[in-house]
Amino acid sequence: MTGLRLTTLLAISASALALAACGGGAEVASPGEGDFGDGGNGGGSTPPPGPGPGQPAADCPTGFANIGTIAAGAAGTLRVCQLPQQIDGALTVPLRAGTIYAISGRTSVGTDRGVDPAAPIAGSTQGILTIEAGVRIFASSGADYLLVNRGSQIFAEGTATTPIVFTSRQNVEGTATENSQGQWGGIVIAGRAPQANCQLTAPVTCTGQVEGTSAFYGGATPADNSGRLRYVQIKYSGFEISTGNELQALTLAGVGSGTTIEYVQSYNSSDDGIEIFGGNVNLRHIVINGADDDGLDTDTGWRGGAQFGIVTQRAPNSTSRSAGFEFSSAPTSVPIASRYNSQPKIANWTLVGRNAPTDAHTVAHFDTGTDPTIINSVFTNVAGSAAGCLAIADADTQSVAPTFTSVFMSCAIPYRPSNAAASQAVFTAGTGNTANGTSTLTAPASGTSLSNQTLTFINGANETAVTPTNAPAVYSWFQSTSYVGAVQNASDTWWRGWTCGLTDGQTC
């Protein structure tokens, strides 16, 4: 999915009670309005003694609305504590026995503070949302989503054994299946980093609005800090507000490089797994399973990096048109010579495409003048797929000469037929690339539960034989590796434990 809405979108109506936010209004420093409150390290008061196993907590923490209980399968009955729809100041979501949290409608962290961190919009408010490891938060409809506005922050930091889970009511109640999707909105983070729909010369004035919302994003602060997401699952999300106007599992809009995004799983989004609009944010250790549209979708001048990522695509259905990567560089109304185009840096990703009935489901698709640097990665799809591994989709993209180095492709059709000549010219101009490889990828030995997806993402002999390029020499933020692809071998288990569907005993 591509494109932004620059005119005002209709605000999504909220069904929840209007609640007062809790916490103080501690100020933070510029640029990027860095950590404030407890800096995302948990904290808060010691919770009262918890209820017995399977019993709901008696109450909710201060600042949350007690909206009753929910039957949560093996977890028993849980107390539902709803976050306020407007969070100003500091709010911590504590891990408590017998408790689950909910969002309803548009749940906003702060209000838009504007382009300049040194001169926030008069009357705007700043928010900090801290979510403790192991917390679960659910939503009940496509109109329910979490928005972190410019100048505010989120600190959602789980651990490898106790991830934070954002999911749907149906999942909590046990009625979601491995084909469920679109059961709530998702997470949107808006920042002040540059993007193509902003005036980039002084004075910077941004008019970009985040797709699926009426929130503004962008600015002139490449290192803007919107907080940290670590060890987080986002499940059954994504919602089409109108044609071409959707929420994804995670939307990063104008998010700066001071923000940490790592160990994040998107599972069964009805649109994209992660979509990035501009900004300079970097991502590391990403798992995207079962997105109905694209795995990682980028647009409007993203100039960050992403290293270590697994994309496995669901089986096609009547609504699907999908790529593992769908990288764009709108607005195309600006000539390519002066376009603030996307320049993503990608290393150590493994894209596992679907058994597509048409060639529209390319594994990796690049268009509208995107200038990616792709290194040490693996593109594949299953036997019988009509989709190619690679599409350089237009003359603008070919003209900027995307860079491919040490990329191993193993699709029966290496290049999408409609642009095969351009795709081949760009790919073969690189070094260390394999266009017609044979996949020896393997799946986890046991414990997988995603029967609707091909889970062969662990390197085998042919992938191991590829000589990697020196990643930090390409982009200093990259870590050095001795292998291509996301997962070196069966002993490389960075993806285990905190994800669902890939680890024994942790179904989605």
Side-chain angles (χ1 to χ4, degrees):
M1 177 194 57
T2 61
L4 299 178
R5 300 297 174 269
L6 302 183
T7 57
T8 302
L9 303 176
L10 292 176
I12 299 171
S13 60
S15 60
L17 295 172
L19 302 170
C22 77
E27 290 300 316
V28 300
S30 299
E33 303 195 359
D35 295 359
F36 67 106
D38 66 5
N41 294 317
S45 59
T46 302
Q55 298 298 309
D59 57 8
C60 289
T62 301
F64 298 81
N66 181 350
I67 60 171
T69 61
I70 189 170
T77 301
L78 300 175
R79 176 68 52 193
V80 181
C81 301
Q82 186 169 290
L83 278 68
Q85 286 188 308
Q86 181 61 50
I87 299 168
D88 298 325
L91 178 67
T92 294
V93 185
L95 180 66
R96 300 167 85 240
T99 304
I100 194 167
Y101 297 90
I103 61 173
S104 181
R106 170 173 162 158
T107 299
S108 298
V109 181
T111 62
D112 180 30
R113 306 212 79 200
V115 173
D116 187 355
I121 294 173
S124 63
T125 58
Q126 193 175 61
I128 178 73
L129 177 63
T130 298
I131 304 173
E132 294 185 346
V135 163
R136 288 197 296 163
I137 299 175
F138 75 87
S140 301
S141 77
D144 303 336
Y145 65 100
L146 179 65
L147 167 65
V148 181
N149 278 297
R150 285 190 296 190
S152 292
Q153 295 175 308
I154 180 172
F155 294 93
E157 297 189 85
T159 71
T161 55
T162 54
I164 293 166
V165 177
F166 292 87
T167 192
S168 66
R169 172 180 287 273
Q170 293 93 323
N171 180 225
V172 174
E173 294 175 333
T175 60
T177 72
E178 66 177 12
N179 291 312
S180 297
Q181 58 179 330
Q183 295 179 335
W184 67 289
I187 300 173
V188 178
I189 302 177
R192 289 168 164 153
Q195 54 100 355
N197 280 307
C198 276
Q199 176 184 327
L200 295 173
T201 56
V204 175
T205 56
C206 292
T207 56
Q209 284 185 288
V210 184
E211 186 170 274
T213 79
S214 57
F216 291 96
Y217 76 102
T221 310
D224 194 45
N225 182 355
S226 296
R228 294 188 290 271
L229 295 184
R230 302 185 73 247
Y231 295 106
V232 171
Q233 295 177 16
I234 307 171
K235 306 194 295 186
Y236 306 107
S237 61
F239 187 73
E240 185 177 63
I241 306 301
S242 60
T243 301
N245 177 33
E246 301 98 352
L247 292 165
Q248 5 291 323
L250 176 62
T251 301
L252 302 172
V255 175
S257 62
T259 308
T260 298
I261 306 290
E262 59 182 15
Y263 299 100
V264 173
Q265 180 184 24
S266 163
Y267 176 71
N268 276 20
S269 170
S270 69
D271 196 57
D272 303 322
I274 298 175
E275 185 160 14
I276 305 175
F277 293 105
N280 301 79
V281 65
N282 297 309
L283 300 83
R284 185 175 282 139
H285 295 114
I286 303 297
V287 175
I288 301 172
N289 307 113
D292 199 41
D293 192 12
D294 305 311
L296 179 61
D297 189 345
T298 74
D299 211 337
T300 62
W302 175 46
R303 295 190 173 184
Q307 187 175 27
F308 307 115
I310 300 166
V311 175
T312 67
Q313 295 185 270
R314 64 167 61 236
N317 61 47
S318 60
T319 66
S320 299
R321 180 271 170 214
S322 161
F325 286 163
E326 203 278 333
F327 288 5
S328 300
S329 202
T332 56
S333 58
V334 178
I336 186 64
S338 55
R339 191 178 306 164
Y340 186 76
N341 64 337
S342 301
Q343 297 177 2
K345 308 295 191 294
I346 302 293
N348 296 97
W349 280 66
T350 297
L351 308 184
V352 183
R354 63 186 71 201
N355 186 0
T358 73
D359 70 359
H361 304 271
T362 314
V363 177
H365 174 102
F366 306 92
D367 65 28
T368 59
T370 297
D371 185 12
T373 299
I374 313 291
I375 68 170
N376 299 347
S377 292
V378 175
F379 302 165
T380 190
N381 59 18
V382 299
S385 177
C389 261
L390 176 64
I392 303 298
D394 53 34
D396 278 355
T397 306
Q398 186 177 8
S399 74
V400 298
T403 300
F404 293 85
T405 306
S406 298
V407 175
F408 183 85
M409 298 199 309
S410 54
C411 300
I413 303 170
Y415 309 111
R416 186 178 182 186
S418 61
N419 43 54
S423 301
Q424 182 174 11
V426 168
F427 192 72
T428 57
T431 59
N433 297 321
T434 303
N436 294 284
T438 299
S439 175
T440 54
L441 294 168
T442 62
S446 63
T448 58
S449 65
L450 305 182
S451 61
N452 66 340
Q453 295 169 53
T454 300
L455 298 176
T456 50
F457 56 78
I458 300 171
N459 285 355
N462 289 350
E463 293 79 18
T464 299
V466 179
T467 301
T469 193
N470 180 13
V474 173
Y475 186 53
S476 61
W477 177 83
F478 284 154
Q479 296 176 352
S480 181
T481 67
S482 60
Y483 58 92
V484 304
V487 182
Q488 181 177 14
N489 51 41
S491 298
D492 183 5
T493 57
W494 64 261
W495 49 272
R496 287 184 64 91
W498 60 275
T499 58
C500 71
L502 305 180
T503 304
D504 189 23
Q506 291 187 300
T507 60
C508 290

